[in-house]
Amino acid sequence: MNTKTFHSYIGGETVIGGERVPVENPATEQPCGSFTAYTPEMLDRALEQARDAFAVWSRTPMQERVAWMTRLAEALEQRRDEVIALLVAETGKPQDNAEYDYGMLIECLGFFGEEVQRLRGETIPDRTGEYLHKLVRHPVGVVVGFLAWNFPLLNLGYKLGPILASGCSCVIKPSRTTPLATALVGEIMGSIDFPSGVVNIALGEDREIVSRLLISPIPAMVTMIGSTEAGCEVIRTSATTIKRYSLELGGNAPVIVYPDFDAELAADRIVGLKLVNSGQVCVSPNRCFVHERSL
């Protein structure tokens, strides 16, 4: 496995950052690549590029946006093995898990590209019968997305799919632990001349610097997966303007086994879900409620 150095993807091009940060394969404890970390100026530029691109992308016809999403998926598929190999290296995942992780990025681009074409406006009659109310959907603006480390490309797909389909632009900040496959996606976007500034990928780990993404008045929405404490901190830091949030935080995933279900089969499936991806799954069960008649 080579140990290529990756860079942030801002304004349609790769941008060399400051400090070079190594990434280790947790399965082998050997270096599998590195990246140059963002600087404050790079984050400011990413936000400005996303703001300027939103003005154009939000007015781009839906079919053209969907065509770009399809083109991106095709470009990713052409380099599928390369992307998956890098994903295996930086996460330590087994091959089948990495293939699923990667596949969800492709699936999200396709799903949201299809789904946005099914959305229609709605006319709501007034209770008095005198007026009609028209419901129209508009893109919210620039979205800042923080990715979790356990499923890097699945998480990227969950963000990029709806962002691109709806006409928003974004700044994506991958986990410092697993940023390389996401950075490669940025390179691939650059190789197909994806509209400049619509997607910006900032690589780094400095929390004090990255707070610029939250404090800035440019983002209209923030999305992340993390602990409840981290979510509270994100909201506090970003309360410089009125923003929208899509946050998956903390929680406790219970399993409920009903009396009409096979208890041994339930146990087998629960253990499998608990241990998949070394237990690093947001819906990994933490407690079980089993009906007494199942025992």
Side-chain angles (χ1 to χ4, degrees):
M1 183 73 189
N2 65 32
T3 53
K4 175 179 175 180
T5 297
F6 291 85
H7 309 290
S8 296
Y9 173 72
I10 298 174
E13 59 185 13
T14 54
V15 178
I16 299 175
E19 177 188 3
R20 181 178 175 274
V21 182
V23 176
E24 183 180 278
N25 183 330
T28 65
E29 298 184 343
Q30 297 299 313
C32 62
S34 61
F35 64 89
T36 58
Y38 50 63
T39 64
E41 295 75 20
M42 288 171 62
L43 294 185
D44 291 345
R45 178 182 172 190
L47 288 168
E48 291 163 0
Q49 289 286 327
R51 177 197 60 201
D52 295 345
F54 173 73
V56 177
W57 185 249
S58 61
R59 295 196 299 268
T60 299
M62 179 198 306
Q63 293 297 335
E64 188 175 337
R65 296 200 304 268
V66 172
W68 273 112
M69 295 172 71
T70 302
R71 186 176 178 186
L72 173 58
E74 291 172 347
L76 288 166
E77 286 287 69
Q78 290 175 5
R79 298 175 66 176
R80 179 181 189 273
D81 292 345
E82 179 186 357
V83 177
I84 291 176
L86 188 58
L87 188 61
V88 168
E90 68 175 339
T91 62
K93 289 175 180 285
Q95 181 74 18
D96 60 345
N97 188 298
E99 289 175 354
Y100 165 77
D101 195 340
Y102 162 84
M104 285 302 296
L105 169 58
I106 304 300
E107 187 169 327
C108 284
L109 291 171
F111 173 83
F112 287 102
E114 290 286 336
E115 194 65 20
V116 72
Q117 298 177 74
R118 300 187 181 98
L119 294 178
R120 297 290 184 269
E122 184 178 353
T123 301
I124 306 170
D126 183 73
R127 63 182 180 82
T128 66
E130 297 182 35
Y131 306 99
L132 289 176
H133 305 278
K134 188 176 182 181
L135 178 63
V136 180
R137 294 178 173 86
H138 295 282
V140 298
V142 175
V143 180
V144 168
F146 296 92
L147 305 184
W149 60 268
N150 56 343
F151 286 93
L153 295 187
L154 175 148
N155 281 295
L156 180 62
Y158 284 176
K159 309 307 180 189
L160 282 190
I163 285 171
L164 296 177
S166 64
C168 293
S169 58
C170 63
V171 178
I172 299 294
K173 195 280 184 191
S175 166
R176 170 262 177 272
T177 309
T178 56
L180 303 184
T182 305
L184 180 55
V185 171
E187 288 188 8
I188 293 171
M189 296 185 81
S191 72
I192 62 172
D193 295 323
F194 199 91
S196 174
V198 174
V199 177
N200 303 274
I201 300 172
L203 311 179
E205 59 180 332
D206 190 306
R207 293 188 178 184
E208 184 175 346
I209 295 178
V210 84
S211 67
R212 299 175 81 89
L213 296 179
L214 301 173
I215 295 170
S216 169
I218 292 177
M221 184 173 185
V222 178
T223 176
M224 66 164 285
I225 297 174
S227 67
T228 301
E229 293 77 10
C232 290
E233 182 61 28
V234 163
I235 294 173
R236 279 193 296 267
T237 305
S238 62
T240 51
T241 56
I242 303 299
K243 298 180 175 71
R244 304 186 188 200
Y245 299 93
S246 175
L247 310 176
E248 180 188 324
L249 308 176
N252 206 340
V255 175
I256 302 175
V257 182
Y258 288 92
D260 60 346
F261 197 83
D262 185 296
E264 291 188 7
L265 178 58
D268 181 69
R269 292 185 177 179
I270 291 166
V271 170
L273 181 57
K274 180 65 178 179
L275 299 180
V276 70
N277 205 46
S278 299
Q280 303 301 324
V281 183
C282 57
V283 293
S284 179
N286 293 319
R287 51 199 171 121
C288 298
F289 296 97
V290 183
H291 196 283
E292 60 183 1
R293 296 211 308 267
S294 299
L295 301 177

